[in-house]
Amino acid sequence: MRLPVSIHRTRLGATEFTVIRPAQPLRRAVLIDRDRYLNAYVDEDAARRIGGLWALAATSPRTLVHLPMRGNRPPSAALPWDPPRRLDLVLLHHSLQFAPAHWKELRGRLGPGRPRTVTLPGTGLADAAAIDYAARHHKENRDLFHQHLHAETVLMTGSTKVFRETARHFLDVARHGPAHARSHPSRPHYCAELHSNDGTLGKARELHIEFCDEWNARQ
């Protein structure tokens, strides 16, 4: 998978950080705070690119992957009103030990960035047949997502393994959502979830990912 991105480097104190953003805005993507869970609405392009960036987070443990979305309007077909809270998303490896309270300052220091196209090995995904789903529910499992909410951003921290095993949720929506919506016009809902019963969430809310193909024309 080839993925156009923008690379940003900046310092906080003595530490230099690398932030990766999509090269082009994710215009048809929105992340909504539903209190008990998070709801992502995406079209095919956004779902595919987020899935790629999710997989990139697995292979780039020294970077923060920033998905700016909070300025986007939601799809009119899914939500006839403006939701009260729209959020950005940051994906980062737990070994980076980045303090969420520093995100706003780091974000404010980012410049225009340097364009680059990265190539993920294969699809950047774990082999579904090789995933040990039962092991996820062992008390020793540390491959879990944890979330922090700061500066209108969900910072989602996880291990290489959990990022690789869950990027497929977005790619599944990109692959099957459009055909499902065309084939079932009266029931176009197609979604995937990071569910509390999956054994991938630690101190984190569920994430519901829904395909939407009807968006405001000016998006």
Side-chain angles (χ1 to χ4, degrees):
M1 178 186 293
R2 292 174 60 82
L3 195 62
V5 298
S6 178
I7 309 291
H8 307 254
R9 289 188 173 89
T10 192
R11 303 187 74 85
L12 284 182
T15 306
E16 182 178 73
F17 292 95
T18 300
V19 178
I20 296 177
R21 286 171 167 165
Q24 299 298 323
L26 297 165
R27 299 192 184 281
R28 294 188 171 185
V30 66
L31 181 64
I32 295 172
D33 190 336
R34 296 287 201 184
D35 293 329
R36 290 183 299 172
Y37 67 97
L38 301 169
N39 210 140
Y41 293 96
V42 289
D43 72 351
E44 179 181 359
D45 173 70
R48 182 179 295 108
R49 287 198 285 151
I50 293 173
L53 290 161
W54 201 278
L56 182 61
T59 63
S60 306
R62 305 309 301 168
T63 66
L64 297 91
V65 179
H66 179 210
L67 284 65
M69 294 183 282
R70 73 185 192 278
N72 294 348
R73 291 180 60 82
S76 55
L79 294 173
W81 68 93
D82 264 354
R85 195 170 201 183
R86 287 164 284 176
L87 304 169
D88 283 351
L89 181 64
V90 168
L91 313 173
L92 63 155
H93 198 275
H94 59 74
S95 65
L96 192 58
Q97 297 186 325
F98 179 79
H102 293 164
W103 168 244
K104 186 175 182 179
E105 182 181 0
L106 181 64
R107 182 179 62 196
R109 291 172 177 260
L110 298 179
R114 177 170 53 87
R116 181 181 173 188
T117 298
V118 298
T119 302
L120 297 174
T123 61
L125 305 176
D127 182 354
I131 296 175
D132 188 345
Y133 292 98
R136 288 179 172 179
H137 299 279
H138 294 170
K139 65 180 181 180
E140 298 84 3
N141 179 29
R142 296 294 181 268
D143 294 301
L144 300 169
F145 284 119
H146 299 283
Q147 296 169 355
H148 296 86
L149 183 59
H150 188 79
E152 301 303 307
T153 303
V154 174
L155 292 98
M156 197 147 183
T157 305
S159 66
T160 294
K161 181 179 179 182
V162 75
F163 274 118
R164 289 188 70 235
E165 291 186 356
T166 55
R168 65 181 62 255
H169 292 300
F170 284 94
L171 298 178
D172 174 76
V173 169
R175 187 176 300 116
H176 300 294
H180 177 88
R182 290 192 299 268
S183 301
H184 303 82
S186 62
R187 293 179 291 107
H189 183 97
Y190 189 90
C191 67
E193 284 187 309
L194 294 179
H195 195 275
S196 58
N197 293 334
D198 294 340
T200 60
L201 300 179
K203 294 180 180 179
R205 288 180 286 172
E206 295 178 342
L207 174 61
H208 179 262
I209 308 156
E210 183 175 341
F211 172 75
C212 288
D213 61 352
E214 294 184 19
W215 295 72
N216 188 297
R218 62 188 181 89
Q219 296 186 131

